[in-house]
Coordinates of all heavy atoms in Angstrom, one line a residue:
Chain A
Y47 N 60.9 98.1 35.6 CA 60.1 98.3 36.8 C 58.6 98.6 36.4 O 57.9 99.3 37.2 CB 60.7 99.4 37.7 CG 62.1 99.1 38.1 CD1 63.1 99.9 37.6 CD2 62.3 98.1 39.0 CE1 64.4 99.6 38.0 CE2 63.6 97.8 39.4 CZ 64.7 98.5 38.9 OH 65.9 98.2 39.3
R49 N 54.7 98.2 36.2 CA 53.9 97.7 37.4 C 53.7 96.2 37.4 O 53.7 95.5 38.4 CB 52.6 98.4 37.5 CG 51.9 98.2 38.8 CD 51.0 99.4 39.1 NE 51.7 100.7 39.3 CZ 51.2 101.8 39.4 NH1 49.9 101.9 39.3 NH2 51.9 102.9 39.5
R55 N 61.8 95.1 44.5 CA 61.7 96.5 44.9 C 61.7 96.6 46.4 O 60.7 96.6 47.1 CB 60.3 97.1 44.4 CG 60.2 97.1 42.9 CD 58.9 97.8 42.6 NE 58.6 97.7 41.2 CZ 57.9 96.7 40.6 NH1 57.4 95.7 41.4 NH2 57.7 96.7 39.3
D61 N 67.8 108.8 50.6 CA 68.3 109.4 49.4 C 69.9 109.4 49.5 O 70.4 109.8 50.5 CB 67.9 110.8 49.1 CG 66.3 110.8 49.0 OD1 65.8 109.8 48.7 OD2 65.8 111.9 49.2
G62 N 70.6 109.0 48.5 CA 72.0 109.0 48.5 C 72.6 110.4 48.3 O 72.2 111.1 47.4
Y88 N 85.4 134.5 22.3 CA 84.6 135.7 22.2 C 85.4 137.0 22.3 O 85.3 137.9 21.5 CB 83.6 135.7 23.4 CG 82.6 136.9 23.4 CD1 81.5 136.9 22.6 CD2 82.8 137.9 24.4 CE1 80.6 138.0 22.7 CE2 81.9 139.0 24.5 CZ 80.8 139.0 23.7 OH 79.9 140.0 23.8
R92 N 86.5 140.0 19.5 CA 86.2 141.4 19.7 C 87.3 142.3 19.4 O 87.2 143.5 19.4 CB 85.7 141.6 21.1 CG 84.3 141.1 21.3 CD 83.3 141.9 20.5 NE 82.0 141.4 20.6 CZ 81.0 142.0 21.4 NH1 81.3 143.1 22.1 NH2 79.8 141.5 21.4
Y146 N 75.3 139.8 10.0 CA 75.6 138.4 10.3 C 76.2 137.7 9.1 O 75.7 137.8 8.0 CB 74.2 137.7 10.6 CG 74.3 136.3 11.0 CD1 75.5 135.7 11.5 CD2 73.2 135.4 10.7 CE1 75.5 134.3 11.9 CE2 73.3 134.1 11.0 CZ 74.4 133.5 11.6 OH 74.5 132.2 11.9
K153 N 78.6 137.9 14.2 CA 77.4 138.6 14.1 C 77.5 139.8 15.1 O 78.2 139.6 16.1 CB 76.2 137.7 14.5 CG 74.9 138.4 14.7 CD 73.9 137.5 15.3 CE 73.5 136.3 14.4 NZ 73.7 135.0 15.1
D155 N 75.2 143.4 16.4 CA 74.0 144.3 16.2 C 74.5 145.7 15.7 O 75.6 146.2 16.0 CB 73.3 144.5 17.5 CG 72.5 143.3 17.9 OD1 72.6 142.3 17.1 OD2 71.7 143.3 18.9
K160 N 74.8 154.9 17.7 CA 76.2 154.7 18.1 C 76.9 153.7 17.1 O 76.3 153.2 16.2 CB 76.2 154.1 19.5 CG 75.6 152.7 19.7 CD 76.1 152.1 21.0 CE 75.1 151.3 21.7 NZ 75.6 150.8 23.0
N175 N 77.0 134.3 2.4 CA 75.8 134.9 2.7 C 76.1 136.1 3.7 O 76.9 136.0 4.6 CB 74.9 133.9 3.4 CG 74.2 133.0 2.4 OD1 73.9 133.4 1.3 ND2 73.9 131.8 2.8
C178 N 70.7 140.1 7.6 CA 70.3 140.9 8.8 C 69.7 139.9 9.8 O 68.7 139.3 9.4 CB 69.3 142.0 8.4 SG 68.7 142.8 9.9
Y181 N 65.4 141.4 13.8 CA 64.1 141.7 13.1 C 63.9 143.2 13.0 O 64.0 143.9 14.0 CB 62.9 141.1 13.9 CG 61.6 141.5 13.3 CD1 61.2 141.0 12.1 CD2 60.8 142.4 14.0 CE1 60.0 141.4 11.5 CE2 59.6 142.8 13.4 CZ 59.2 142.3 12.2 OH 58.0 142.7 11.6
Chain B
D138 N 53.2 144.1 14.4 CA 54.3 143.4 13.7 C 55.7 143.6 14.3 O 56.7 143.6 13.7 CB 54.3 143.9 12.2 CG 54.9 145.3 12.1 OD1 54.8 146.0 13.1 OD2 55.4 145.6 11.1
Y280 N 62.8 111.3 44.5 CA 64.2 111.2 45.0 C 64.7 112.6 45.3 O 64.6 113.5 44.5 CB 65.0 110.6 43.9 CG 66.4 110.2 44.4 CD1 66.7 109.0 45.0 CD2 67.4 111.1 44.2 CE1 68.0 108.7 45.4 CE2 68.7 110.8 44.6 CZ 69.0 109.6 45.2 OH 70.2 109.3 45.6
G281 N 65.2 112.8 46.5 CA 65.8 114.1 46.9 C 64.7 115.2 47.0 O 64.8 116.3 46.4
F305 N 74.4 139.1 23.9 CA 75.8 139.0 23.7 C 76.3 139.8 22.4 O 77.4 140.1 22.3 CB 76.3 137.6 23.6 CG 76.3 136.8 24.9 CD1 76.3 135.5 24.9 CD2 76.4 137.5 26.1 CE1 76.3 134.8 26.2 CE2 76.4 136.9 27.3 CZ 76.3 135.5 27.4
T306 N 75.4 140.0 21.5 CA 75.7 140.8 20.3 C 75.1 142.2 20.3 O 75.1 142.8 19.3 CB 75.2 140.0 19.0 OG1 73.8 140.1 19.0 CG2 75.7 138.6 19.0
S308 N 75.9 145.0 21.8 CA 76.8 146.1 22.1 C 76.9 146.4 23.6 O 77.4 147.4 24.1 CB 76.5 147.4 21.4 OG 75.4 148.1 21.9
G342 N 60.9 101.7 41.0 CA 59.5 102.1 41.2 C 58.6 101.1 40.7 O 59.0 100.0 40.4
S343 N 57.3 101.4 40.7 CA 56.3 100.5 40.2 C 55.6 101.3 39.1 O 54.7 102.1 39.4 CB 55.4 100.0 41.3 OG 54.3 99.4 40.7
I344 N 56.1 101.2 37.9 CA 55.8 102.2 36.9 C 54.6 101.9 36.0 O 54.5 100.8 35.5 CB 57.0 102.5 36.0 CG1 58.2 103.0 36.9 CG2 56.7 103.5 34.9 CD1 59.5 103.0 36.2
E345 N 53.7 102.8 35.9 CA 52.5 102.6 35.1 C 52.6 103.7 34.0 O 52.6 104.9 34.3 CB 51.3 102.7 35.9 CG 50.1 102.9 35.0 CD 48.9 102.2 35.5 OE1 48.5 102.4 36.7 OE2 48.3 101.3 34.8
V377 N 77.2 133.9 19.7 CA 77.3 135.0 18.7 C 76.9 134.4 17.3 O 76.2 135.1 16.6 CB 78.8 135.5 18.6 CG1 79.0 136.4 17.4 CG2 79.1 136.3 19.8
H378 N 77.3 133.2 17.0 CA 76.8 132.6 15.8 C 75.4 132.2 15.8 O 74.6 132.4 14.8 CB 77.7 131.3 15.5 CG 77.3 130.5 14.3 ND1 77.0 131.1 13.1 CD2 77.0 129.2 14.2 CE1 76.7 130.2 12.2 NE2 76.6 129.0 12.9
H380 N 72.8 133.2 17.9 CA 71.9 134.2 18.3 C 71.0 134.6 17.2 O 71.5 134.8 16.0 CB 72.6 135.4 18.9 CG 71.7 136.5 19.3 ND1 70.9 136.5 20.4 CD2 71.5 137.7 18.8 CE1 70.2 137.6 20.5 NE2 70.6 138.4 19.6
Y452 N 62.3 135.1 9.3 CA 62.5 135.3 7.8 C 61.3 134.8 7.1 O 61.0 133.6 7.2 CB 63.8 134.7 7.4 CG 65.0 135.6 7.3 CD1 65.1 136.6 8.2 CD2 66.0 135.4 6.3 CE1 66.2 137.5 8.1 CE2 67.1 136.3 6.2 CZ 67.2 137.3 7.2 OH 68.2 138.2 7.1
E458 N 69.0 126.9 0.6 CA 69.7 125.7 1.2 C 69.0 125.3 2.5 O 69.2 124.3 3.1 CB 71.1 126.0 1.5 CG 71.5 127.2 2.3 CD 72.0 128.4 1.5 OE1 71.4 128.6 0.4 OE2 72.9 129.1 1.9

Side-chain angles (χ1 to χ4, degrees):
Chain A
Y47 301 112
R49 193 153 298 169
R55 299 188 186 89
D61 301 337
Y88 181 81
R92 283 296 176 101
Y146 181 28
K153 172 189 293 128
D155 286 5
K160 68 164 145 183
N175 282 330
C178 173
Y181 175 70
Chain B
D138 73 336
Y280 187 89
F305 287 160
T306 67
S308 78
S343 169
I344 298 167
E345 163 141 58
V377 169
H378 175 50
H380 178 71
Y452 263 33
E458 60 254 43

